[in-house]
Amino acid sequence: MSADDDFALWQKKVEGTNISSATLLATDYLNHFNEIVMLLEMVPDMPDMLEDCREWAPKSYQQHFQDSAFSDRELAIEAYDHVPEKFRRPFEETIEHMNAMVLRANDQLEVVINEGNPEVIRMTASSTTAALQRFMDVASSIIHGSAKTMSQDEIDAAMAI
């Protein structure tokens, strides 16, 4: 079976679900990142929330669905192996940037919390969540069928939190 035929078959399998038939990806995966954004937003007012931020860990797309209550989770897991490369590669690269950003931000927040400057804590958390949201917007557009990603300059600027 050709890759195009395989993709067409899987597009039919995901019809009527919360999995995009354009890409075979589901936006539910982004809930994993929404969780850390919410935690990071609380850090300036409750610095002890950094502990919760440190407990957050990257999860692969398939691991997220294995651990979720998503109604079509088994289908989402299986469909991922059939996502066309033109969507899968930029999606995975975007996710890698987000994971790295969160881990680095946790380290940076620990340093600025120990320095005790509330404005720097707020600025660090705010710039991190804004950059994560930009990456989530890109990931969401890929999930919905856009092959457009951020330029290297945009990535570098967002990663320079």
Side-chain angles (χ1 to χ4, degrees):
M1 177 180 301
S2 75
D4 289 341
D5 290 341
D6 179 66
F7 182 59
L9 175 70
W10 277 93
Q11 285 179 302
K12 288 184 177 138
K13 285 184 180 185
V14 302
E15 276 180 14
T17 70
N18 286 326
I19 301 169
S20 170
S21 61
T23 63
L24 308 180
L25 296 167
T27 58
D28 187 83
Y29 178 64
L30 298 180
N31 288 338
H32 181 58
F33 294 96
N34 285 326
E35 174 187 330
I36 190 63
V37 166
M38 289 188 293
L39 291 170
L40 289 167
E41 288 173 338
M42 290 189 261
V43 168
D45 296 320
M46 296 181 286
D48 58 324
M49 290 300 296
L50 183 59
E51 268 185 55
D52 292 56
C53 293
R54 287 236 181 250
E55 289 176 11
W56 182 94
K59 279 187 183 180
S60 70
Y61 182 90
Q62 291 166 315
Q63 183 63 50
H64 167 77
F65 285 105
Q66 287 172 354
D67 297 343
S68 84
F70 184 66
S71 61
D72 295 305
R73 71 188 195 147
E74 294 299 325
L75 185 61
I77 292 166
E78 196 175 346
Y80 193 71
D81 291 332
H82 304 274
V83 172
E85 188 66 21
K86 71 179 181 179
F87 300 118
R88 186 184 194 134
R89 187 186 45 72
F91 180 74
E92 289 178 350
E93 288 172 1
T94 301
I95 298 309
E96 285 177 29
H97 289 305
M98 291 166 57
N99 287 331
M101 182 180 296
V102 170
L103 298 175
R104 191 175 69 228
N106 285 339
D107 291 342
Q108 289 175 330
L109 282 165
E110 184 173 351
V111 169
V112 297
I113 287 170
N114 289 335
E115 291 171 354
N117 184 332
E119 284 307 309
V120 175
I121 296 167
R122 188 166 306 285
M123 183 186 73
T124 302
S126 178
S127 63
T128 299
T129 58
L132 280 171
Q133 189 58 57
R134 287 187 65 209
F135 278 104
M136 282 196 299
D137 290 346
V138 170
S140 179
S141 70
I142 294 167
I143 288 168
H144 290 97
S146 172
K148 181 179 178 339
T149 60
M150 296 168 77
S151 70
Q152 190 60 51
D153 288 343
E154 291 172 309
I155 292 168
D156 292 344
M159 296 296 285
I161 55 169

